[in-house]
Amino acid sequence: AGDFIYEMSEALLGCMYPVPDRMLKLSEKIVAAYLRKEMIGKTPFKGSFDLFAVEGGTAAMTYLFTSLKENFLLHAGDSIAIGMPIFTPYIEIPELNDYQLKQVAINADPANNWQYSTKELEKLLDPNIKAFFLVNPSNPPSVKFSDECLETMVKIIKKRPDLIILTDDVYGTFADNFASLFAVCPHNTLLVYSFSKYFGATGWRLGAIAAHEDNIFDKLIAKLPEAKRTLLDERYKSITTAPRKLKFIDRLVADSRTVALNHTAGLSTPAQVQMVMFSLFSLMDEEDCYKKAMKRLIRRRKEALYQDLGVKSEYNPDDVD
């Protein structure tokens, strides 16, 4: 308790650089507990995961694409799959001169409640596709991955253990019985979460990147040709005497501040406290009163829209169970 009060007090004062720079120690544990509840839920899950507190989901994506490129996990000309339809900037980022990635569309079927067919997902079996990038629940269709799609992805990963998955799950807390791809394919998945939507706090820019302690990213870096590993040794030697032991998530931290400014990396400490407060609020709400209120709000707005359009809604706005 004393350690917690000290961490919160020092963080609120903002009188120190974040230590550790990736995320404050107890803050990371609390936010991780929140993500376990909301992103993993009752899904069987082994091991633990590390978090990097960042300035919202958009910063998370920016940092991820940069580090994947800098660590030779993605190269110009590589193909990545994108779950379509998707938030349009996520189509535009890979096309930038910074990355020059080729895109393969994994198309959701509007006739099947915007789910991905097995045929579409099996495009990921192509070894030329290095990564799968998606928003779950989707944006704009607002539909979560079905249990069948999750099961298909588990089967695909068994055949493609080198496939990188980036999942933006900022809307997961609005879906019923949500389970992230991070819950079922944790070793291959980088989870991006933001508190902005669920807590109506877009101006705070509060997000986190999660990576399982046993992940494919560290393993792929360890298998790089010696020449590339030597280049990475040079890149990270200013912050560690053992660059080859530096975890991918800690490379993310360094890359977010052009490596040399690693000591000033990380989300501002008062902002980390806000993440902790949101997380504790949710964890203490054992009856999910807030979540039910949010779902009622969204569904009533949808019902009002549908009524004015003269279209029958698929939901009873008061049925949040």
Side-chain angles (χ1 to χ4, degrees), residues 13-59:
L13 288 171
C15 59
M16 295 286 286
Y17 287 119
V19 180
D21 45 19
R22 180 156 55 78
M23 193 169 185
L24 300 175
K25 289 182 178 180
L26 299 180
S27 299
E28 180 178 7
K29 290 182 179 181
I30 292 166
V31 174
Y34 168 75
L35 292 179
R36 273 187 179 269
K37 175 190 175 187
E38 300 294 352
M39 300 289 105
I40 298 171
K42 297 179 181 179
T43 306
F45 189 92
K46 294 182 179 180
S48 60
F49 51 89
D50 297 315
L51 294 180
F52 174 24
V54 295
E55 305 89 336
T58 48

Side-chain angles (χ1 to χ4, degrees), residues 138-187:
S138 52
N139 179 9
S142 308
V143 176
K144 71 173 184 178
F145 247 53
S146 67
D147 291 342
E148 291 76 17
C149 286
L150 291 174
E151 290 170 7
T152 300
M153 284 301 304
V154 171
K155 294 175 182 177
I156 288 171
I157 289 300
K158 288 180 179 177
K159 298 177 181 179
R160 282 290 318 275
D162 61 333
L163 181 67
I164 294 169
I165 300 173
L166 303 183
T167 183
D168 179 347
D169 292 358
V170 301
Y171 297 105
T173 40
F174 292 102
D176 295 331
N177 304 313
F178 180 74
S180 169
L181 269 173
F182 183 67
V184 298
C185 304
H187 308 293

Side-chain angles (χ1 to χ4, degrees), residues 11-298:
L12 281 168
L13 288 171
C15 59
M16 295 286 286
Y17 287 119
V19 180
D21 45 19
R22 180 156 55 78
M23 193 169 185
L24 300 175
K25 289 182 178 180
L26 299 180
S27 299
E28 180 178 7
K29 290 182 179 181
I30 292 166
V31 174
Y34 168 75
L35 292 179
R36 273 187 179 269
K37 175 190 175 187
E38 300 294 352
M39 300 289 105
I40 298 171
K42 297 179 181 179
T43 306
F45 189 92
K46 294 182 179 180
S48 60
F49 51 89
D50 297 315
L51 294 180
F52 174 24
V54 295
E55 305 89 336
T58 48
M61 287 303 171
T62 300
Y63 297 157
L64 283 168
F65 271 100
T66 297
S67 284
L68 288 170
K69 177 187 176 185
E70 292 294 343
N71 286 276
F72 305 111
L73 299 183
L74 288 178
H75 303 80
D78 280 350
S79 295
I80 64 168
I82 299 184
M84 297 287 195
I86 199 170
F87 184 47
T88 50
Y90 291 165
I91 302 172
E92 297 157 355
I93 290 172
E95 296 175 346
L96 293 174
N97 189 52
D98 306 51
Y99 308 110
Q100 302 176 48
L101 298 168
K102 297 177 182 178
Q103 299 181 36
V104 176
I106 308 295
N107 296 302
D109 182 2
N112 186 30
N113 194 30
W114 296 102
Q115 292 298 330
Y116 300 95
S117 68
T118 299
K119 182 179 179 181
E120 283 294 303
L121 290 174
E122 285 182 345
K123 290 179 181 179
L124 300 171
L125 294 173
D126 181 352
N128 293 315
I129 294 176
K130 304 300 182 184
F132 179 32
F133 179 27
L134 71 152
V135 176
N136 181 31
S138 52
N139 179 9
S142 308
V143 176
K144 71 173 184 178
F145 247 53
S146 67
D147 291 342
E148 291 76 17
C149 286
L150 291 174
E151 290 170 7
T152 300
M153 284 301 304
V154 171
K155 294 175 182 177
I156 288 171
I157 289 300
K158 288 180 179 177
K159 298 177 181 179
R160 282 290 318 275
D162 61 333
L163 181 67
I164 294 169
I165 300 173
L166 303 183
T167 183
D168 179 347
D169 292 358
V170 301
Y171 297 105
T173 40
F174 292 102
D176 295 331
N177 304 313
F178 180 74
S180 169
L181 269 173
F182 183 67
V184 298
C185 304
H187 308 293
N188 294 68
T189 304
L190 290 163
L191 168 68
V192 171
Y193 180 76
S194 168
F195 291 81
S196 300
K197 306 300 190 299
Y198 187 49
F199 291 99
T202 49
W204 268 97
R205 315 303 304 135
L206 303 176
I209 301 170
H212 195 278
E213 60 182 353
D214 177 19
N215 63 73
I216 190 64
F217 319 104
D218 292 332
K219 293 175 182 177
L220 289 174
I221 291 170
K223 291 179 180 178
L224 288 171
E226 183 61 26
K228 290 184 176 179
R229 296 182 73 190
T230 300
L231 288 174
L232 292 177
D233 292 345
E234 286 295 311
R235 179 174 180 80
Y236 298 109
K237 70 178 184 181
S238 66
I239 62 170
T240 176
T241 57
R244 298 194 179 189
K245 294 182 180 180
L246 194 64
K247 294 189 291 187
F248 177 74
I249 197 164
D250 290 316
R251 293 167 189 246
L252 272 172
V253 179
D255 293 334
S256 74
R257 295 298 182 269
T258 327
V259 182
L261 296 169
N262 181 72
H263 65 290
T264 62
L267 185 64
S268 71
T269 54
Q272 291 191 48
V273 171
Q274 187 64 58
M275 291 173 67
V276 168
M277 294 300 157
F278 283 148
S279 296
L280 287 175
F281 170 78
S282 178
L283 290 166
M284 294 170 68
D285 183 10
E286 295 181 356
E287 301 300 321
D288 279 336
C289 295
Y290 179 78
K291 179 176 287 190
K292 292 174 182 177
M294 288 301 98
K295 289 181 179 181
R296 280 194 295 269
L297 175 66
I298 297 299

